[in-house]
Amino acid sequence: MEGVPVLVTDLGLILAAAAVVTLIFKKLKQPLVLGYIVAGFFVSPHMPYTESVVDEADISVWANIGVIFMLFSLGLEFSFKKITKMGAAPIIAAVTIVFCMMVLGSCVGHVFGWSDMDCVFLGGMLAMSSTTIIYKAFDDMGLFQQKFTSLVMSVLILEDILAIVLMVMLSAFAGEGELSGGQVALSVLKIAFYVLIWFLFGIFLVPLLLRKLRGIINDETLLILSIALCLGMAIFSTKVGFSSAFGAFIMGSILAETIEVEKIERVFNPVKNLFGAVFFVSVGMLVEPKIIVEYSVPIVILVLTIVVGHAVFSTFAYFISGQSLNNAVKCGFSMAQIGEFAFIIASLGLSLKVISPHLYPVVVAVSVITTFLTPYMIKLATPAYEHLERRIPDKWLDVLNKLTISSPSLSDGATQWKSYLVKLLKLVVIYSVICVAIILFMYTVGGPFVNSLLPEPWSSLLSAVIALMLMAPFLRAIAVKKLRDEDYRRLWDESFLNRLPLIFTILVRWAVAMLFVFSVVSIFSDQFGLAILFAIALIIFIFIVKSKSLKKSGESIEKRFFENLGAREKYQQEKYTGARRQFGHSRLVNRDIHISTITIPDHSFCVGRSLHDLHFGTRFGVHVSSIIRGSYRINIPGGKNILFPNDVINVVGTDSELSKFSKAITDSESFVERKYDDMKVLSIELSSRCPFLGKTIADSGLRDIYKCMALGLDNGKEQLTPIDKQRPFAEGDILFLVGEETKVKELALLM
C-alpha cells in the first residue's frame, strides 16, 4: 500500500497543532495569530518533546502561497476611492509614523552593532503596526463605536500600502546593495507607473469580465476565477520585477471596486484562513529558544523602542494631522505593536539572503510581547492624557487642541488656476501612462509577434499602425479633451493676462501628443529623414485631433471606466439607503449620538427573536433604525420584525451605549445551545384509544398539539392516499406521520 506523502503528513501535523492551540487561545481571548506562532514552535525541530515537521522546504512553499493570499485578501478590503476620500489627516499621520519609526529602528539596530542591511530591514519591521492585532483589540474591548478608532483603521490601511511599497524598495535595495537618491526616485516612479497601469486596465476589463459571466457564475466558479486572477497578476508582477505578493494585492484592490467583492470575500475567506494559518505556523517554526535567550537584551530594548516610540511619534503624527491632543494620545497608544507585515518583511529578507538568521526569531519574540501589551497600552491612553492635561498649562492646552493643519487662503483667481492645472495634470499624466504602456506592450509582445508573421518593413509598418490605433483615443484626449472646460473659459474671460499662459498649456498638450506619435513613426528613421518623419507625425496628429469617431470612442471608454469604478458605490447606495440622512447627521454628531453598523453573529442571543421581545431601548438605550438582509432592507422596523444570523443592523446611540450593546450582541458566552431532535417518519395504526378518532385532520390537533405532520393514509399500494380534509379518522387507519422523534413516539404511545 502506498504511503502518505511527507507533505500531507507535515500539513496534517501543522493543522492539527494549529487547531488545538488556537482553540485554547480563542478560549483565553487572545489573538489567533499568536496561537499559530505558538503552534509552529511546537511542531518545529527546536521543540524536542513533540512531533516535528519533516520537510520545511515544502512548508515554505505553502507559506509563500499564504502570503500571496493574505495580501490578495487585504486588497479586497482596500479601495483607492476610499483613500482619495480620507483627506490629508490619515496620510500625514501614516507617512510621519512610518518615517519616524524606520529611522528609530535603524538607529537602534546600529547601536546593537548589526549590519546595515539588518538595520534597514529592522526599521521596516518596526514601522508597521499590526492591522489584525489592533482590529482584534478594538473588537474585544468594544471600542469600534469610539470615533478615534476609524482614524486608526484608516492609518493602518495606508500603512499596509506603504508596507507593500517598502517591500518593493527593500527588494531593490537588497539587489543593488545600496540605492542612490536617483535610484530611489526611479523605483518609486516605476511602482507608480505599474500600479496606475494595472489599476486603469484592471478597472476597465475585470468588471466587464465579471458582468459577462454574472448569469452563469456561482460560488465555486467565482472562487476559482478569483484565485486565477490573483495568481495571474502575481506571476505577471514577478515578470516585471516586483514581488508576487505585490501583484496579488493589486488584483485584490481591482476586485474591491466591483459589486461582486462581497461574494468574493465570502467564498475566498476559508482559503485565506487555511494558507494564512500555514504561513503563521511557519513563522513560529523559525523561533529558536537559544537565540531568544542569547538576544534577550535586544528583544527587551526593541519592545521598549516600539512602545515608547509609538507613544511619542505616533501621538505626534496624529496631532500634526489635525487631531486634538486627547484623540492623538488614544490613536498613538493604539499603534504600539508589530505583527504580520513584520513577519512578511523578515521572510523577504531571509528569502533574499540579506539579513542575519537571528533577526527573524528576535522580531517574532518582540511581536508576541507587544501583542500582549496592546490592550494595556490602549487602556493606558486615557490616564496618560489626564497626566499630560494636569502638567500642561491651560492656555497651552487650549491652543494645542485648537491647532489644525490648514492651507493659506487663496484668491479666487489662484483657486481657479489651481483647479484647472490639477485637472489638466491628471488628464495628461493618466493618458500618457496608458500610451507608454501601449508602446511597451508593442515593443515587448506585439512587435515580436508581428515580426514572426511578416517580413520587414511590413512588420514594422503593421506594428506602428496597431500602436497608433490603440493610442489614438488617448492621444486625442491629451491634445484637446476639455479644451473648453469651465475653469478654462472663466480664466480666459477674466483677464487678458491669463490668455497667454492658457495658450501655452494647449501647446504643451499638443507637444506631448506629438511626441508620442513621433516616437512610433521614428522606427522608420532608417528609411526616411527627420523632416519627412515629422511631417508624417503631424499629418497623423491632425487626423487624430479632427476625427469625430475617435472622440466618440474616447468618450465611450471613459464612460465605461467610470461606470465600473463607481459600480460598487452605486450598488451599495441602492442596497443600503443612507440612514444618516434620516436623522440629520450633523445634529446627531453634536449631541454625541451617531449610527453604528453591527452584524448579527450566528451565536447571538437575539437570533430568532423579535425587536419587541429584545427591548434594546430599555436594556441598552439604543434604537434599531434599519435591518439589512442580503439585498433587502427594512427601514424603521417594527417590533414584530425578527432578527436572523448575518443580518446587518444600523443602531443609533452614544459611544458608551453602542459599545455596551455591541459587546452584548456579539458575546459568545451569551449563547445557549438549542437542541432539536432529528425528524422521523413513522406509520401508526389508529386504535380505539386514539384521541382523535372521528375527527378531521383540521380538528385533530396534529400540528398544534402534537407538533407532527400527516403525510397520508396507507391503502396497501405503493403510493399513500392523500388525506381528505372532510374525512374523519376511523379505527384501523394506518397513518404516516413526520415530526421530531420524541414527539412522534409520544403520539404512538397514545394509540
Side-chain angles (χ1 to χ4, degrees), residues 577-586 588-589 594-596 633 650:
T577 307
R580 291 177 184 265
R581 291 200 304 260
Q582 302 170 11
F583 294 93
H585 176 64
S586 60
L588 290 177
V589 169
H594 58 101
I595 297 175
S596 180
R633 181 186 182 102
N650 286 336

Side-chain angles (χ1 to χ4, degrees), residues 282-299:
S282 70
V283 169
M285 290 168 58
L286 293 174
V287 176
E288 296 186 48
K290 63 178 183 180
I291 290 182
I292 293 177
V293 172
E294 181 181 352
Y295 288 88
S296 57
V297 174
I299 288 173

Side-chain angles (χ1 to χ4, degrees), residues 55-332:
D55 193 341
E56 294 184 40
D58 282 341
I59 299 303
S60 178
V61 174
W62 286 72
N64 289 334
I65 297 175
V67 173
I68 292 173
F69 285 165
M70 281 194 298
L71 289 178
F72 176 67
S73 180
L74 179 65
L76 291 174
E77 300 171 3
F78 169 79
S79 171
F80 284 99
K81 293 182 71 177
K82 287 181 182 178
I83 294 296
T84 59
K85 293 178 181 179
M86 283 181 182
I91 298 174
I92 293 171
V95 172
T96 304
I97 292 169
V98 170
F99 175 77
C100 292
M101 291 304 297
M102 280 194 69
V103 172
L104 181 61
S106 298
C107 292
V108 172
H110 282 295
V111 170
F112 295 149
W114 293 350
S115 68
D116 291 342
M117 200 65 72
D118 283 348
C119 293
V120 172
F121 273 81
L122 177 66
M125 296 175 209
L126 300 193
M128 302 301 164
S129 298
S130 172
T131 305
T132 303
I133 293 168
I134 295 176
Y135 184 94
K136 182 70 169 61
F138 285 164
D139 191 27
D140 290 344
M141 299 173 73
L143 295 176
F144 268 120
Q145 282 67 45
Q146 301 291 325
K147 295 176 184 177
F148 81 94
T149 59
S150 61
L151 179 61
V152 172
M153 298 310 296
S154 297
V155 171
L156 289 172
I157 291 173
L158 291 171
E159 279 197 355
D160 291 342
I161 305 304
L162 292 174
I164 301 290
V165 176
L166 181 61
M167 289 170 60
V168 177
M169 298 295 296
L170 290 174
S171 299
F173 182 78
E176 298 289 338
E178 59 178 347
L179 285 177
S180 64
Q183 289 173 311
V184 171
L186 185 62
S187 297
V188 171
L189 286 175
K190 183 180 178 183
I191 294 170
F193 172 78
Y194 278 105
V195 168
L196 185 57
I197 281 297
W198 290 338
F199 182 71
L200 292 174
F201 281 96
I203 289 296
F204 186 79
L205 296 175
V206 173
L208 181 63
L209 172 65
L210 293 176
R211 192 178 300 114
K212 294 292 185 182
L213 299 175
R214 193 170 294 157
I216 60 174
I217 205 166
N218 57 20
D219 286 356
E220 181 180 356
T221 52
L222 182 63
L223 173 62
I224 300 301
L225 177 61
S226 302
I227 294 177
L229 291 171
C230 166
L231 296 180
M233 181 60 85
I235 294 169
F236 184 69
S237 178
T238 59
K239 297 293 185 183
V240 296
F242 298 123
S243 67
S244 56
F246 181 63
F249 172 81
I250 293 297
M251 179 50 67
S253 64
I254 291 171
L255 290 171
E257 303 297 343
T258 66
I259 64 175
E260 286 83 4
V261 64
E262 293 176 357
K263 293 181 181 178
I264 295 173
E265 286 181 311
R266 175 173 54 81
V267 299
F268 184 75
N269 201 49
V271 179
K272 179 203 71 173
N273 291 339
L274 171 63
F275 286 96
V278 175
F279 169 72
F280 287 116
V281 169
S282 70
V283 169
M285 290 168 58
L286 293 174
V287 176
E288 296 186 48
K290 63 178 183 180
I291 290 182
I292 293 177
V293 172
E294 181 181 352
Y295 288 88
S296 57
V297 174
I299 288 173
V300 172
I301 293 175
L302 287 174
V303 169
L304 292 175
T305 300
I306 292 171
V307 171
V308 177
H310 275 292
V312 175
F313 291 121
S314 295
T315 298
F316 172 74
Y318 281 104
F319 178 71
I320 66 171
S321 70
Q323 298 302 306
S324 67
L325 186 59
N326 187 13
N327 272 347
V329 171
K330 288 181 179 179
C331 294

Side-chain angles (χ1 to χ4, degrees), residues 635-646:
N635 285 332
I636 317 299
K640 294 182 180 179
N641 288 108
I642 297 173
L643 296 180
F644 294 95
N646 299 315

Side-chain angles (χ1 to χ4, degrees), residues 314-373:
S314 295
T315 298
F316 172 74
Y318 281 104
F319 178 71
I320 66 171
S321 70
Q323 298 302 306
S324 67
L325 186 59
N326 187 13
N327 272 347
V329 171
K330 288 181 179 179
C331 294
F333 277 54
S334 302
M335 308 282 288
Q337 78 295 117
I338 59 174
E340 55 275 9
F341 263 111
F343 308 144
I344 294 172
I345 292 172
S347 299
L348 175 66
L350 285 181
S351 64
L352 296 173
K353 298 180 180 179
V354 294
I355 64 173
S356 304
H358 70 263
L359 194 55
Y360 203 119
V362 166
V363 168
V364 172
V366 170
S367 173
V368 171
I369 297 172
T370 54
T371 297
F372 280 117
L373 293 177

Side-chain angles (χ1 to χ4, degrees), residues 414-435:
T415 303
Q416 290 171 16
W417 269 110
K418 180 181 177 182
S419 174
Y420 174 69
L421 292 176
V422 167
K423 286 191 288 187
L424 189 62
L425 183 63
K426 287 181 180 178
L427 184 148
V428 173
V429 169
I430 290 175
Y431 288 118
S432 295
V433 166
I434 295 175
C435 291

